[in-house]
Amino acid sequence: GGRARTIPGIDPDGHRVMTYRSAIVLHDLPESVVVVGAGPIGMEFAHVWSSYGAQITVVEMLPRVVPLEDEEVSKEIQRAFRRRGVTTMTSTRVEDVEVTDDGVRVTVTTADDQEEILEAERALIAIGVSPNSEKIGLDRVGVETERGHIVIDDHMRTNVSGVYAIGDVTGKMELAHVASAQGIIAAETIAGEETHPLDYDAVPRCTYCQPQVASFGITEAQAVERGHEVAVGQFPFRPNGKALALGERDGFAKIVADAITGEILGAHLVGPEVTELLPELVLARNWELTPDEIARSIHAHPTLSEVIMEAAHDVFGKAIHK
């Protein structure tokens, strides 16, 4: 459905200049890497390589790392990476990547419009995914596309009868679990079975770095922009007994709710195993549970999930152990 997107004029060779396709099958550890892009792919590779001792510099054109996440999550991740010795350069644009005899030379323009040269053994281009919709005959049968993505309805149908599309090629959300869910909906529709449209606002988004990032729905800032009267509950991992036992105290759970209705609008987690904790909040949102109902569900002690309970209490200022 998709392939790694590249910077115009820069052609990855799979060795010195890599995309995730070549990086994931590396047999050796680079000594140093310039990672272009601070989204999930870039931050995950930065985490893995730095954990093994590589010197990593992450370059991001937008003002913060993991830029699609809640702003407080971005700040927490940037602090955690800085403590591990990973350099992050935000509001920085890559102008050129040149392969040299012993590595790469990356030319960037920084936030204050200064040109800077970064040198490393390799570079990773991690700026997203492009759809594989060219040269497969879509134009011949009249399948509608928009900026290369195949246009679909809620049942994965294209504008051409009998033609369905799922996954990265649809441009909805470039995530494996989204493609899987779309495939189920398409199969049920084709079979004439009852199905349910996919609510993309309830899709889990995960970044597998350390600390982990997990979220769904809208951020606090987006909720305000959309006119909600917002109530936010937040609780850190630092006082959590299980997190202390694991030696992973960084991070927090944050629940964004509508202050009037109690509707959960989004959740934003950063910390130990939060990708495993998020589904409780997704389920609550899908079944229209309120933070109060989550808070009154007993969570075993000691568990990481107690942070979810405490954040739910905190939406209305009733966190006990804060």
Side-chain angles (χ1 to χ4, degrees), residues 44-190:
E44 287 168 358
F45 275 106
H47 158 62
V48 171
W49 286 328
S50 66
S51 297
Y52 285 103
Q55 294 298 308
I56 306 298
T57 299
V58 181
V59 179
E60 171 56 51
M61 185 173 65
L62 295 175
R64 50 194 177 89
V65 300
V66 284
L68 299 183
E69 299 294 340
D70 185 89
E71 188 171 352
E72 290 184 274
V73 170
S74 294
K75 290 178 180 177
E76 184 73 19
I77 288 293
Q78 193 156 4
R79 281 194 295 267
F81 270 56
R82 187 185 302 120
R83 286 196 295 268
R84 294 169 56 186
V86 175
T87 300
T88 56
M89 302 175 65
T90 54
S91 299
T92 301
R93 186 174 66 252
V94 172
E95 305 294 350
D96 187 38
V97 179
E98 177 188 356
V99 176
T100 64
D101 291 339
D102 55 357
V104 293
R105 182 179 294 116
V106 181
T107 304
V108 302
T109 301
T110 62
D112 55 359
D113 288 327
Q114 298 297 309
E115 186 174 279
E116 190 170 332
I117 304 296
L118 308 175
E119 293 189 291
E121 181 186 318
R122 301 185 189 186
L124 171 68
I125 309 300
I127 58 172
V129 176
S130 295
N132 287 331
S133 59
E134 312 98 327
K135 300 178 182 179
I136 59 174
L138 296 181
D139 52 338
R140 292 200 299 272
V141 295
V143 172
E144 182 184 359
T145 61
E146 187 175 290
R147 290 183 296 182
H149 294 108
I150 297 175
V151 178
I152 56 171
D153 66 10
D154 287 343
H155 293 80
M156 312 303 138
R157 294 176 293 220
T158 70
N159 64 306
V160 176
S161 178
V163 180
Y164 294 73
I166 65 169
D168 292 357
V169 77
T170 68
K172 294 295 185 180
M173 297 179 80
E174 289 88 358
L175 300 168
H177 48 276
V178 170
S180 179
Q182 289 177 323
I184 291 171
I185 293 170
E188 289 173 337
T189 301
I190 292 167

Side-chain angles (χ1 to χ4, degrees), residues 26 50 79 98 133 157 194 240 243 280 298-299 307:
L26 274 183
S50 66
R79 281 194 295 267
E98 177 188 356
S133 59
R157 294 176 293 220
E194 181 182 359
N240 177 268
E280 174 184 354
I298 297 174
H299 290 60
V307 173

